Amino acid sequence: MSVRVLLRESPHRAIALVTDSHALIFRYSPSSIELSANSSVGSFQSLQFQPPPTGAIPPRCMVEFLESSSIDLTDYRSLTPLPAHGTLGLITTANDVFLCVVTGALQVATVRPRETVKRIHGVEFYCLNRKNFDHSAHDDLNAHSSDDYYQDGSDYGNDGHLRDPALEHPCLALRKLLSGGSFYFSSDFDITNRLQRRSLDSSTFDADNLDDDYLWNSYMIEPLVKFRSRLNGLEREALDSSYILTSVIRGFVLTSTIPQSSSPARTLRSGLPSTLTLISRLSCRRAGTRFNARGIDDDGNVANFVETETVFWTPGGLCFSYVQIRGSVPVFWEQATNLLPGQQKIQITRSQEATQPAFDKHFEGLEVNYGSTHVLNLLSESRPGEAELTRRYRFHIRHSPLSIGAEKGAMSDHSQLRETEYDFHAETRGPAGYEAAGGIRRLIRGSAEGFAYYLSEEIEEQIPSHAGERSVQTRPIVVLQQGGVFRTNCLDCLDRTNLIQTIVSQMAIESFLNSRDERASPDFWMRHSSLWADNGDNLSKIYAGTGALKSSFTRHGKMSLAGAIADVRKSATRLYINNFADKARQETIDILLGRIVGQNSVHLYDPINDYMTSELNKRSQEYTSSKTIRIWAGTLNLNGRTTGLDEDLSPWLCPDTLQPQEEPEVVAVGFQEIVELSPQQIMSTDPARRQRWEAVVKRTLNKRAHKLGAEEYVLLRSGQLVGAALSIFVKVSVLPHIKNVEGSVKKTGMSGMAGNKGAVAIRMDYAKTQICFVTAHLAAGFANYEERNRDYKTINHGLRFQRDRSIEDHDTVIWLGDFNYRIGLGDEKVRKAISVGDLGWLYENDQLNIQMVAGMTFPHYAESRITFPPTYKYDIGTDRYDTSEKSRIPAWTDRVLRKGANLRQLDYGTAALRFSDHRPVYATFQCIITIVDEAMKEQLSREIYERRRIEVGDSTANTHADDTDDEDLIGYDSINPDLPPASSDRRKWWLDNGAPAQSSISRPGKDYVLNPNRPSNPFTETNEPDWVYVDRPLRPAMSRDSTTNTLSTTASSTGSVKARRLPPPLETIGNSTSSLGSQPTTADGRRQSSSTLSSKKAAPPVPKKPDVLSPQQSGRSTANGGSSTMRQSRGTVGSVPGSGGPVSLPDQNNFPSPPRQPSQQAYQDHNIPSGPRRQEPNDYGRTTLMDEGDEANSMASWKPLRPQ
């Protein structure tokens, strides 16, 4: 079904996706912050591009789904000359919101009848909030783009002239990626699931069953999927059948039509062809380019994971399906780019113990989805890096719960996980070449027969009709299901893997045909090989940038000279792309998948959902809990020595201050100068010595654990930059709570060229708390404190983890290392102060303390009180400071700094290890970890949603009114945190819970009327009641004098007067002319206002809103009938019930009292600080915002030396 894309520019900009039956209308909803910031611009459509403010709320849009017949489309115009193919979703760029629409697609496959697949070759991004990009959408992208989007010449337009970056479409890179020919969709069936997991009814399409592992537009389509889930059943079915929402996969899909003469399956329907289809679904869980995505993550997702399905369908209704998977070696490893072929070093980044949980999670997921798994490992034994990966792979398979029962050196026939190591290069090195790869058949034949394949066929059934006759109908039934899967890998999972998978696919088809006593013709196998060759080329372009190597053999069954030359050209092209183009490609992929830090998804506004979110935040304690863990962090400059490997490190790693019940869950160990910083070493990293030190640390920690009967530690991850190394050890029990462990390094030596100085960082997610550890070795030299400051800034701003996450993007940050800051005093003075224990005076002159006070380095970080002498520089093996000719001044070069509101430091000390010229330093912390019960949160949100849905009506995005009150629809946030949001005709912010502003107050009795003496300003203090009693039978047309005698009240009626909820109208009792008397008239007969009777015009009352108003205050003066001390006004008209006194009429010269100062309770009600936070000196005199926990460590008595 075709979709039209229409635009309406006024009175509010809206974009509609319209089919013959229904329409989906989008309208951008600016927040009051945006409207205020752009109020000087005037028109909404003329908003200029502004970066989103810090802490900005996600952009919001209103959306409505309704029947086309109910829409007036006269104000809409078409945005595309041809019908579109649905939307991929919404995405934000800066402060702009774009709707992505598929504008070009080509049918490439027919899996089964009425199951077609289309390849996307064109998309457009239409801006919802401004018109600036309406005419640039078609000008930026080459209509005849190559398959490789980085070759399109993005710097030049179609006319060959250099583009103006200011006019370039913000989504140009995304358009190139999506239009590159690697994305596919189907409007007929669920393309994200393989045939065995789909319904046999080809007409069934259920968006709820989409497999998110392969749904590449999941981030963009998620707001629309949530909107769909809130529709009722009929509306949901109508939205699905409209094909407006499009689900896409990335990979390869193609159908080859097999003529009857070449089809191996005999069929009764002569003349009709069969079809052979190949579908490869690339996972988006760990998506990326070749050197940016390697190995496994903590959730068990691996890089370049592809599910490939071979489907063979015959006209007789027979359908065969066989699935294979490929994926990176499931251990934590990385590989850096290099311009020299074969020089990309492989680095394994986690220990065996820390890798096993993620490894097990990966294969447990495969076992659930596919059954038994047989690993085909094609890595080379002659290449050191690949051989090490093979050894680690073998170790983890042997220790996997799925391979229990495996015999030594071989896998048991009953295990769920088996492995075959097949050195592809060694096996194909002989004269037979790649043809020798067929030898793998004999190694996997047993598993291939045991796994079987999926098979369904159509049968005829006689169905009785209402007339008593029987009709014949056909329906499919499942004959056989696949019970296991082959998981193939090489290093990149491209060339070698594709060739072996072609052989496995051929084996499965042969097994199927043999069971039917049929044989395939050479033409059929040629078509089969051609499909697999195209599959290899397309998957290789996605991951590595070029077509697959060895595709000539895959396609033709032999390797030609032209094919060999083509492989050399592809290899050279890969080197260039991987070194210079992959970074930009990776960033575009991360944007598409919503993985950039700070990237906001579009919020499709639903008043019910907004209320639900607000209520969830208020009730967060119901599904959120906290846990306190302990962290030990220590640093030691080894001075390039290894003598300490034989010494006892327990005084440092297990200090006496550490109680047995306070064993830390996380241990962070930082080393500097782990190797000698010679000219030969500073350009490369040798991990051998780091691994020796890690073994010693682990042995020391576990020795104490065994002594106390506690659990052991395992190495979570380590990193190294020449001489700087960081290793994180954790208890075994906390591994399930830790995810997304990443490492990164930043060089600062020789202007960033050398690694003799720099930093190593490791970050992790502990439950919902993000923790980052950084060990650094900064510039040396007594007077080089400014260079050290620059080193910190370079590291803090330049060190990046995946998805552009920085050090500052964490809840808890701990820096440890040799920062090299010195004490700004002479050698003699320093040594003398040390001898007498005057550490406070030394700290006042410490360079790091002075620079932090001046805000020149480590802003917002804190350091606990130093109670130990300077840690540098000692004579080796003694407690004497440097006695050499240089006689270096003692200094606290080794430090531990912290940042995080959830972090509390317990201890800060040193240990007497004498094998280096530095003393080791350690610190212990308590860290509060946030834990969220996701199941409880989801259950609570559903309950709130259902309850609120009954109370609140629907919103609309298709209004034509110019004066629609957007604030009523979008939840109208306040322009200032200290002020309430704006009111409207339908909502009053001073009412509880934003209830509709329709009065529900009833009079105490039929003889009561509103008191006209109440001030018009509802916030004015007064003792006037809301209602007054009127004795109607005794009330004639009265003058002012008689009014006093006719109005009466009784004291008993006071208690029945209800509290006033709304300000009264400015009315008088009864007829205005009779109650107020006659008023002068003008010459034309109009009544003259009282304000003209005096020579000087009196100022009208000016109501003034208080700065802060709580719900309790707003009703205080009215809830009790004005019981507090109030101010009287002049003029009597009647009497007050229960008082027997006169009723006062407001005097025009009486102004409302100024609002009272908000009480302390009002501040608490609105979470507003009642006064400025107290600023006090922190541990060393630096001015910070003090919290209660920091005061215990304060050194307010010290007065640091301020910089001149």
Side-chain angles (χ1 to χ4, degrees), residues 359 738 877 1064:
F359 183 92
I738 296 177

Side-chain angles (χ1 to χ4, degrees), residues 8 201 215 370 469 561 586 593 816 874 985 1026 1135:
R8 189 191 67 200
D201 184 2
L215 186 63
Y370 303 102
E469 300 179 355
L561 178 61
Q586 182 69 51
L593 298 175
L816 54 145
Y874 288 89
D985 291 338
D1026 293 324
S1135 58

Side-chain angles (χ1 to χ4, degrees), residues 60 103 121 148 224 240 246 281 444 509 551 564 607 616 659 689 743 797 826 844 880 902 925 997 1002 1029 1033:
R60 297 183 286 188
T103 57
H121 61 74
D148 305 324
L224 286 168
D240 290 345
T246 303
R281 305 173 181 92
I444 63 174
I509 295 177
S551 60
L616 278 177
Q659 299 300 321
R689 191 169 292 186
H797 296 289
E844 290 177 359
R880 296 189 308 270
N902 61 335
F925 304 91
S1002 60
Y1029 177 77

